[in-house]
Structures are given as structure tokens and as C-alpha cells.
Amino acid sequence: MEHSKHLWRAVLILLVLSLGYLLGRGLLVPDTFGEYGHFRGANLAEQMNVRVPNHGIGPESCAPCHAERVKNIAKTPHRVINCETCHGPLRTHVDYPSIEAFMKNPSQFKRTAPMEIHSAQDLCIKCHDAQPAKPKGFPTVEVVQHLKEMGVEPGPNVCMECHDPHDPKI
Amino acid sequence: MKDLSRRSFLRAAIGVTIVGATSSVISLFAPGKLKAASAATDMQPGGFPDGYDPFAHLFSYVIDLKKCIGCGSCVRACKKENDVPDEFYRTWVERYQKGRDRPVEIDSPDGGLYGFPSSTAGTEGVSKAYYVPKMCNHCAQTPCVQVCPFSATYLSPDGLVLVDGERCMGCGYCVQACPYASRFLNPRTKTADKCTWCYHRISRGLRPACVQACPTGTRMFGDVKDPYDPVRHIIDTERIGVLQPQMLTKPKCYYIGLDKEVR
Ligand code: SF4
Ligand code: SF4
Ligand code: SF4
């Protein structure tokens, strides 16, 4: 059986090749690849935990400390605005380790810094400046003209002289 | 003399090729390890948030253009929620203005981050004007996923298109492939970046930051696997459009009141 040598040689080569393939594949393909689809499955959980949410859950996250404010603004047209839209993300004001812990008992977390307060120039005008692209029926003013009519000097907090953002009374 | 210089050139060329091939093989074996520190600075511990099953949801987004006032609150909220680098945007707002004798003008100063400048000057003859918020459409047939050579960007079971920062090599193919210019290469992480519909929020039952910040209800987010979801109801009953339908990307961002000029 002199010729069986060729056979064994072929088997050996095939073995080495398939071992090489398995080794290479093991090194190249991450552990959880293909768990949920054609991607590294562990990334799903990584993405869900990429950071602690900076914005809260809406006015409900402010109410434990600012109940009166939240209740009063609900009676005004500005009730549609989330507190954080004007004030900035909650987590710059209260530090919580996870949003789950915060939702369970919001008032247990300490205030770390004052909440952002924007000037009228930074904020009111962004919504209420008259522009052709604004939807019909949305309350806007030609700011320069409006100030002239009202006899008010332009300035950074000029809107607040007549309008309270928490109760705008138009 | 001439021959010699050619030989040394060839030798150098072969050397460069070998070094290049070796380093790319090494990077194939350890894609994450060549990367600088990853994007996450504020990692939460753990696996899936309690009670969240990615197979039980299919998310969609509706934008009602008749309501948008161009205030930019959504862009500001996104920046602050997701720590988006300066001069890059995961979501942005465009302004379209046109008239019978005026061509369409599109502007988006700083992506709408600071709202839009007053238009008291230069709007004569504008007969139609509106704002269009834009972001990643989380397409069901995505060119961005198809071109990725590393399977770093993928379609998740709940319908999002995500980027695995550990596998992404920052080649930028997907940035080129997206017809909506939704992607960018993050200068800090050197990987592809884009809107994730705030996956770290929605997997905890919260709304994306842009949706929560929008004062007019322009932006709506929902789960079409939930039969009582308002967004599913809108998709099922109202006249909606998607951006660039001719690209056949099957976006999951739907627009109410889309105009033919929007692209
Ligand atoms: S909008 Fe662009 S980045 Fe988003 S899924 Fe579609 S092709 Fe990909
Ligand atoms: S830049 Fe885009 S295409 Fe390139 S590896 Fe990263 S996700 Fe994939
Ligand atoms: S927050 Fe809402 S209304 Fe304001 S620009 Fe964004 S989508 Fe439009």
C-alpha cells in the first residue's frame, strides 16, 4: 500500500486547513456575533447603557420639588412645553446614578447646581419671532415693531418686563 | 542608473505594501484595540434594562411639518442628551422658502441650534415657507448597513440602525452611502456616529430627548407593534410621506405635510 501515502498527505493538508480556518474564525468573529442578527450581539446592551439619561421624564421629574410651579403652568398655554426645553437637562441640576433610581424616588437626590435660566433674547424669540415659515395661527410678533409700539427699550430680558414665561398672558 | 532607481522604487513599494497589509491584518484581529478610548464616558452598568425585550417593539417616528415653528429646541436637547461634538448634528432643522418668482431657498444656520434669524429682510415674494426637522430615518433597507465592511453598523430587532463603536474602523463608507446625510465621523471617537433615537432612553420607556423637548408636538415617537399607539394610528390613517422615496430605503421617519421640494 505504497500509494496510501498520497491519501494521508491530502487528509493532513485538509486537516491543517480546516484547523487554520476554525482558529482564524475564532479569533476574528467576536463572541456574541450572530446572537440576534448579523452584528455583535453584546452591542445592543452596550448601546442601551451608553450613558445615564441627561433629560428626565418630563414635568413629572420636576414636580417632587417644584409641585407649585408644575401645577400653575398647567393652567397656561405654556403647559405644552417641557420644563427642560427652556431650562436645560435635569441632570445638570440633580445628579442621579441611573434614571431608574431617579424614577423610583426623585426627591431623594441632591441638587448639585442651579438650573439654567435663559434670557428672553435666547429663548422667547426663538418661538415667537414672526417669520414666513411659522405655521398659521401660532402667536408671533415682529419684535422690533412690537417693542416700538410698547415703548420699551430693546435689551436681553425685555420680554420679561411684560410677560412671565410661566404665565405668558398674551 | 535608471534601472537601479527603478529597482529601489519597486523595493520601497513592496515594503510599503507588506507593512500596510500586515497592519490591516493586525487590525482585523483586534479591531477594538487599535481604537482610542471609546465614546462612552458615563456608562450605566448592566445588560438590557428591566423588562425590555428588543423583539417586542418596532419603533417609528412621525414629524408633523404643519406644526414646526423652527425653534431648534430639539437640536439643543439632542446636543445635550447625546454629547454631540460641536459643529456636528444628529438632528437638525432646515428652512425652505419659495415663491412663484423665487427659487427654493434652503438654509439651516448651525443646524437650527440657535433657532432661525429673523426674516424681516429679504422675504418679499415668499409664498410658501416651512421648517423641516431631519435626522437618521432608521431605514429598513439601509444603504449604510449594506456597505459596512465590518458589520459595525446594523439593523436592531426593534428597528433601529446602530453603530457598534468597537467594530467601526471609521472608514466612512456609510457616511458616503447615506442619501440623507444623517451620518458623520465623530472627531473624538473616530467612529461613525448618528442619531440612535436615544436608545438609552427608549429602552427605559422614556421618549427621545428631541420628542420630549419639542413644544409643538411636531415630533412624535411610537411603537408600531402596540395596537393602541398614537403614532401607529397616524401611520395607518393619515397621508404621510418619506424623504427621497425613490431611493427605496424604506425610512421609518414619516412626515405629515411633506412638500415636493423637500429632499
Ligand atoms: S437615514 Fe442614512 S444613516 Fe439612517 S438608516 Fe437611512 S441610510 Fe442609514
Ligand atoms: S465608518 Fe461606517 S462603514 Fe466604515 S466601519 Fe464604521 S460603520 Fe462601517
Ligand atoms: S422642537 Fe419641535 S417645533 Fe421646535 S424646531 Fe424642533 S421639531 Fe420644530
Side-chain angles (χ1 to χ4, degrees), chain B residues 135-139 142-145 161 177-183 194 249:
Chain B
M135 59 212 271
C136 171
N137 289 287
H138 296 273
C139 311
T142 70
C144 58
V145 167
V161 173
C178 171
Y180 308 99
S182 303
R183 288 178 174 245
K194 67 168 195 64
T249 54

Side-chain angles (χ1 to χ4, degrees), chain A residues 5-80:
Chain A
K5 224 164 143 193
H6 300 291
L7 217 63
W8 285 118
R9 205 174 283 157
V11 168
L12 203 72
I13 289 172
L14 272 177
L15 243 145
V16 167
L17 279 180
S18 37
L19 269 178
Y21 168 77
L22 285 176
L23 188 75
R25 194 180 185 283
L27 281 172
L28 284 171
V29 179
D31 280 349
T32 57
F33 199 93
E35 199 177 335
Y36 306 110
H38 198 72
F39 59 96
R40 193 173 59 91
N43 188 243
L44 271 189
E46 285 167 25
Q47 297 265 358
M48 292 174 192
N49 299 306
V50 71
R51 61 176 61 81
V52 181
N54 286 326
H55 289 79
I57 51 175
E60 301 94 305
S61 28
C62 312
C65 300
H66 308 278
E68 204 58 17
R69 255 295 183 245
V70 172
K71 211 174 81 203
N72 288 340
I73 204 164
K75 297 172 197 147
T76 79
H78 274 179
R79 65 180 165 271
V80 293

Side-chain angles (χ1 to χ4, degrees), chain B residues 79-237:
Chain B
K79 281 261 183 195
K80 288 171 182 163
E81 181 65 44
N82 295 301
D83 195 20
V84 183
D86 288 349
E87 291 171 35
F88 292 93
Y89 303 91
R90 285 183 172 200
T91 185
W92 67 99
V93 183
E94 295 171 0
R95 176 167 61 185
Y96 285 66
Q97 306 191 93
K98 68 171 290 208
R100 178 150 295 279
D101 303 314
R102 278 174 73 120
V104 196
E105 280 164 38
I106 310 167
D107 67 341
S108 182
D110 294 307
L113 183 63
Y114 309 108
F116 286 80
S118 188
S119 51
T120 37
T123 53
E124 307 83 39
V126 170
S127 60
K128 181 152 66 176
Y130 46 86
Y131 307 98
V132 183
K134 287 189 179 175
M135 59 212 271
C136 171
N137 289 287
H138 296 273
C139 311
Q141 297 282 344
T142 70
C144 58
V145 167
Q146 285 166 28
V147 299
C148 180
F150 302 97
S151 297
T153 188
Y154 60 91
L155 194 61
S156 77
D158 32 13
L160 280 79
V161 173
L162 298 170
V163 183
D164 180 348
E166 203 172 289
R167 286 185 69 72
C168 174
M169 303 300 290
C171 67
Y173 287 177
C174 58
V175 178
Q176 298 257 335
C178 171
Y180 308 99
S182 303
R183 288 178 174 245
F184 57 93
L185 284 178
N186 186 316
R188 279 203 296 269
T189 59
K190 311 275 189 278
T191 57
D193 201 342
K194 67 168 195 64
C195 161
T196 61
W197 277 346
C198 288
Y199 203 39
H200 62 296
R201 296 177 62 82
I202 60 173
S203 56
R204 292 180 163 74
L206 312 181
R207 291 174 296 165
C210 53
V211 175
Q212 196 161 293
C214 178
T216 59
T218 300
R219 290 173 175 258
M220 289 165 275
F221 183 76
D223 176 4
V224 296
K225 281 196 181 165
D226 172 5
Y228 302 105
D229 190 284
V231 160
R232 165 165 153 167
H233 186 72
I234 291 173
I235 295 168
D236 287 351
T237 58

Side-chain angles (χ1 to χ4, degrees), chain B residues 27-75:
Chain B
S27 69
L28 268 179
F29 273 87
K33 292 184 186 97
L34 288 185
K35 268 293 94 58
S38 92
T41 46
D42 193 14
M43 202 79 161
Q44 302 215 128
F48 293 174
D50 270 354
Y52 186 73
D53 174 10
F55 289 92
H57 306 273
L58 187 62
F59 295 113
S60 284
Y61 203 106
V62 169
I63 299 174
D64 186 348
L65 295 181
K66 291 186 186 137
K67 291 183 183 161
C68 181
I69 57 173
C71 62
S73 303
C74 45
V75 185

